[in-house]
Each structure stands twice: as C-alpha cells, then as structure tokens.
Amino acid sequence: MSHDLVHARVREHLGRLRLGHLAERLDALLREEIGAKQKKRVSMGITIAHFPAVKTLEDFDFKAQPSVDSKLVRELATGRFIAQAENVLLFGPPGVGKTHLAIGLGRAAVEAGHSVLFTSATALLAALAKAESEGALKDKLNYFAKPKLLIIDELGYLPFEKRSAHLFFQLVARRYEKGSLLITTNQLVGQWGGVFGDDVLAAAILDRLLHHSHTVLIQGDSYRLRQKRKAGLLGRSAPPGNHG
Ligand code: ADP
Ligand code: MG
C-alpha cells in the first residue's frame, strides 16, 4: 500500500473518531519525520561518497568563471543524467574549479537520492592494481562499478602505465550504460592517447565515455591565483579601509 493511501486512511479514521485536530497535527508530524529521515540519508550518503572537501554548487561563483555553462550545471544538479547512466566530463586547466564543481554535483546527486563515490584517478588505479596483484580484481571492479555516480578526479595529471590503462578500460566498459561517470581532466580529448600510452585503448575508452555524455569546458585563469593577484593589486592601489 502506498504511503499516500495509508495517510488518507488514517486521516479518515481520525475524522470518524472526531479527532480532527490530531489529523491536522499528523500532517505536520509526518512532514517533519520525512524531513529528518532525508537529512540523515543525505549526511550518510555524503560520508559514504568520501568527498575530499566541503564544496557546494551554491558557493561556486559562476560570475567569476563565465566560460562555465551555468545552465548545464544546474541541469546536471537535478541528477537526471544519473538516472539515464550518462557521463559528465569536466575539462580545464588547473585551479579553474573542476574539483569544486565535481564535489558540488556529487552532493547534489546524493541529495537527489543517488549513491556517489569520489576518488582521484591515481587512487583509483592504485586500488585496482593492488587488487589485481592480490587476485581480488573482480571484487574491486564491482566496488567501483556499484555507485550510481562514480567521480574520478584529476585524470591525465599523471600518464597511466600500460596495465593501468587496461584496468581503467575494464572499469569504463563495466559501467557503460549502467552507471554514470563524472571525470575531471586537464587534458583535451586529443591528448588522451598520451595519457593512456596507447591510441587504440584511448579511443576505446573515449568511445564509451563520450557516447552518452555532457561536457563542461572551463577556460581562464586559476581562481586561486586570481584571488591572490586581486588581493595584491588592491594592496598596492589602496590600503585596506582607505577606499569607499
Ligand atoms: P581544479 O580542480 O580545476 O584544479 P579547484 O576546484 O580545486 O580547481 O579550485 C581551486 C580552489 O578555488 C578551490 O578552493 C575552489 O573552491 C576555488 N574555486 C575555483 N573556482 C571557483 C569559483 N568559480 N567560485 C568559488 N570558488 C572557486
Ligand atoms: Mg582539482
């Protein structure tokens, strides 16, 4: 029986028993209960996701990064792409907010009710390689195949060993059309042959990643350096408190 139906019946009984006031209170109580459960579920999901920092889409300054398609990011935040097992690729140079957006989208996915796991590409490959050497590759692949959204941060910062590239391919193939990947990278697609040390393997990986995917291209300067530069400029032109 659906919750709505149970709720309607309980209200009906309460009405018959002339407990109208209680029926009114029931609504508020149930809403409170649902709110508390949702909060608990979200905080548990965030713990399980292992985000490396607390970042949200709300504190991402879209005006500071006009190259980011904020409309697309808002659409991705609904989690619909996860329901359809589509992928997201975030491209951009260091410091432009890729990890920030990845965490923000990951949190939004948890809030939308999806299981999420965050890992760096380096940690992912180290875990797969270790599992393989211990004869436990299948279990590890299952572990990384399970979450509805797997976030892989910093792909391409370090080139892959031949074996690692193959392990990565196995993971991508396993998740293909079953679960979403969100990947951040500083390497444009044309450079992925170099990242994986093998053009054929890179093409096979890209083929699966890009088939159902959304890409976010971030251009511009490092946000961190820009903040520093801005602080420096302000310091030179007008000492703090001396303007306005
Ligand atoms: P990347 O992963 O692209 O190297 P990060 O996401 O780590 O960059 O961003 C570097 C730092 O700058 C982080 O502390 C991040 O929160 C902050 N940052 C970057 N872009 C923005 C932005 N547009 N609004 C708010 N903070 C930002
Ligand atoms: Mg980063």
Side-chain angles (χ1 to χ4, degrees):
M1 207 188 304
S2 80
H3 284 115
D4 283 352
L5 204 54
V6 173
H7 192 186
R9 285 219 183 145
V10 171
R11 282 190 70 112
E12 193 193 314
H13 291 321
L14 289 173
R16 274 206 210 125
L17 293 167
R18 295 177 209 285
L19 291 170
H21 179 63
L22 185 55
E24 261 167 47
R25 294 283 305 274
L26 187 66
D27 261 332
L29 273 174
L30 285 177
R31 215 161 292 153
E32 212 172 277
E33 189 71 27
I34 288 166
K37 284 245 167 68
Q38 158 82 352
K39 235 178 166 174
K40 214 169 169 181
R41 197 179 53 70
V42 168
S43 88
M44 191 117 83
I46 284 171
T47 305
I48 291 168
H50 284 96
F51 295 122
V54 180
K55 304 281 177 188
T56 65
L57 293 177
E58 286 72 41
D59 55 46
F60 188 84
D61 182 357
F62 285 94
K63 282 198 205 82
Q65 206 56 269
S67 70
V68 175
D69 182 349
S70 60
K71 217 175 123 209
L72 174 59
V73 172
R74 270 199 302 274
E75 160 59 28
L76 295 174
T78 65
R80 272 192 284 269
F81 76 99
I82 301 168
Q84 292 165 32
E86 293 164 352
N87 300 321
V88 175
L89 288 146
L90 290 176
F91 294 96
V96 293
K98 297 185 299 297
T99 301
H100 187 139
L101 281 177
I103 297 172
L105 286 170
R107 284 184 72 106
V110 170
E111 278 160 20
H114 300 289
S115 55
V116 177
L117 179 63
F118 185 108
T119 177
S120 71
T122 311
L124 169 74
L125 266 308
L128 289 177
K130 181 165 179 279
E132 188 180 40
S133 72
E134 292 166 352
L137 179 60
K138 213 175 138 208
D139 286 348
K140 213 40 154 195
L141 281 172
N142 283 339
Y143 171 76
F144 286 114
K146 213 167 188 184
K148 289 302 286 177
L149 174 64
L150 178 66
I151 301 175
I152 305 174
D153 198 24
E154 299 192 339
L155 188 81
Y157 278 79
L158 293 171
F160 285 11
E161 311 260 320
K162 175 106 197 166
R163 190 63 208 147
S164 294
H166 197 74
L167 290 173
F168 189 77
F169 170 76
Q170 285 186 58
L171 178 65
V172 169
R174 191 170 288 222
R175 293 189 62 91
Y176 179 62
E177 292 188 334
K178 291 202 192 77
S180 296
L181 281 168
L182 188 159
I183 293 178
T184 81
T185 176
N186 61 340
Q187 304 284 331
L188 288 174
V189 163
Q191 296 157 328
W192 281 35
V195 171
F196 293 104
D198 182 325
D199 286 337
V200 177
L201 200 54
I205 289 168
L206 276 169
D207 192 49
R208 283 159 183 79
L209 281 182
L210 297 175
H211 185 195
H212 309 286
S213 71
H214 307 268
T215 54
V216 181
L217 258 166
I218 317 179
Q219 277 149 353
D221 292 341
S222 157
Y223 185 83
R224 249 185 253 119
L225 292 182
R226 218 186 313 161
Q227 296 300 97
K228 279 209 183 108
R229 217 174 291 137
K230 207 155 66 182
L233 277 173
L234 283 176
R236 263 201 305 278
S237 60
N242 252 9
H243 51 131

